[in-house]
Amino acid sequence: MCIDCDEEGISRRSFLTGATTAIAGAAFALKAAGQQSAQKALNDPNIILDEVGFKSGTNTIKGFLARPKKAGRYRMVLIAHGNPGVPEDIKFTAAELAKAGYVCLVYDWGSREPQPADPRERDKWVARVTSYTFVKLQMQDLQAGMNYLREQPFTKRERVGVVGFCGRLAFLFSTQSKDVKALISFYGPVVYHINNPKADPVPNVLEIVNRIKVPVQGHYGLLDKVALAEDAKLFEK
């Protein structure tokens, strides 16, 4: 979960201080090209994109579904996004997976626990959504999403991959569900240094590493201050 991660990257001031005009122009051109690529993927006529809902207990959970348009059955991928909602970059990821021949469901945990409009309620909300009690509900929702996919006429049911942004939930879920066959973690903390409530702490991935039995691919940044690369190296060992 990445609700308190710094997603702004390099500040405008530090960027302008440290970059030449040529580098700045190249950076903005690269960003524009990335936006064009994302829009191209999201408008690809060979895939189908849809806002969906599925039941998890008595709750209706929202999701974003991407799949190939061509008739047939395809392998399934679940995306567990760290923030509430489904932003454009995650939709783009789902679309690219659909182009590659997968049925991809993005799980929106914010539909279970929406972010409060009143900023005075945010601290209580953060305490709820970072608790192990809530993480267990998230894993319940992921399993419900998997079951939903398996009911569809366009899915192969024998294998499911999970992608985590951030990937801590994917790690934990793989120890709870026998249906997970592989996982990819993008900046998933294996030791959680922030927002782990003392009253209801979430187990660190390093504490349950011997229960992870599936192939893992992890992506970590050396400058990341939340999902530390040195922790990931311990996990790799």
Side-chain angles (χ1 to χ4, degrees), residues 42-61:
L42 292 171
N43 293 311
D44 193 309
N46 296 310
I47 63 175
I48 296 174
L49 308 176
D50 197 12
E51 304 284 345
V52 299
F54 57 90
K55 297 297 290 186
S56 178
T58 59
N59 293 85
T60 298
I61 305 300

Side-chain angles (χ1 to χ4, degrees), residues 50-128:
D50 197 12
E51 304 284 345
V52 299
F54 57 90
K55 297 297 290 186
S56 178
T58 59
N59 293 85
T60 298
I61 305 300
K62 295 180 181 179
F64 178 79
L65 184 67
R67 63 183 179 91
K69 187 174 183 179
K70 185 178 179 180
R73 289 185 178 272
Y74 300 90
R75 288 179 177 169
M76 300 176 287
V77 175
L78 283 173
I79 291 183
H81 180 46
N83 287 323
V86 184
E88 287 296 297
D89 60 315
I90 300 299
K91 290 181 179 179
F92 166 68
T93 302
E96 287 290 346
L97 283 166
K99 287 171 60 178
Y102 294 91
V103 174
C104 182
L105 176 64
V106 183
Y107 159 55
D108 176 14
W109 64 261
S111 59
R112 174 181 279 280
E113 186 68 49
Q115 189 166 350
D118 187 343
R120 293 172 296 181
E121 296 295 318
R122 190 177 187 277
D123 288 346
K124 294 180 181 179
W125 176 78
V126 169
R128 288 196 302 272

Side-chain angles (χ1 to χ4, degrees), residues 152-178:
Q152 307 310 311
F154 43 77
T155 57
K156 290 182 177 179
R157 300 181 177 96
E158 76 278 11
R159 295 181 181 179
V160 183
V162 179
V163 180
F165 295 91
C166 60
R168 183 178 66 156
L169 179 60
F171 282 129
L172 296 173
F173 182 56
S174 75
T175 70
Q176 300 294 316
S177 175
K178 59 180 176 52

Side-chain angles (χ1 to χ4, degrees), residues 118-194:
D118 187 343
R120 293 172 296 181
E121 296 295 318
R122 190 177 187 277
D123 288 346
K124 294 180 181 179
W125 176 78
V126 169
R128 288 196 302 272
V129 300
T130 55
S131 68
Y132 193 30
T133 296
F134 188 74
V135 170
K136 291 175 183 177
L137 291 175
Q138 288 182 299
M139 291 191 284
Q140 175 183 307
D141 294 343
L142 284 174
Q143 186 64 51
M146 191 179 297
N147 296 339
Y148 164 79
L149 284 181
R150 283 185 160 153
E151 294 171 354
Q152 307 310 311
F154 43 77
T155 57
K156 290 182 177 179
R157 300 181 177 96
E158 76 278 11
R159 295 181 181 179
V160 183
V162 179
V163 180
F165 295 91
C166 60
R168 183 178 66 156
L169 179 60
F171 282 129
L172 296 173
F173 182 56
S174 75
T175 70
Q176 300 294 316
S177 175
K178 59 180 176 52
D179 300 314
V180 178
K181 299 303 179 184
L183 72 88
I184 299 175
S185 167
F186 288 92
Y187 44 87
V190 294
V191 177
Y192 217 60
H193 299 281
I194 63 170

Side-chain angles (χ1 to χ4, degrees), residues 11 22 127 147 153 205 210:
S11 70
N147 296 339
V205 174
N210 62 329

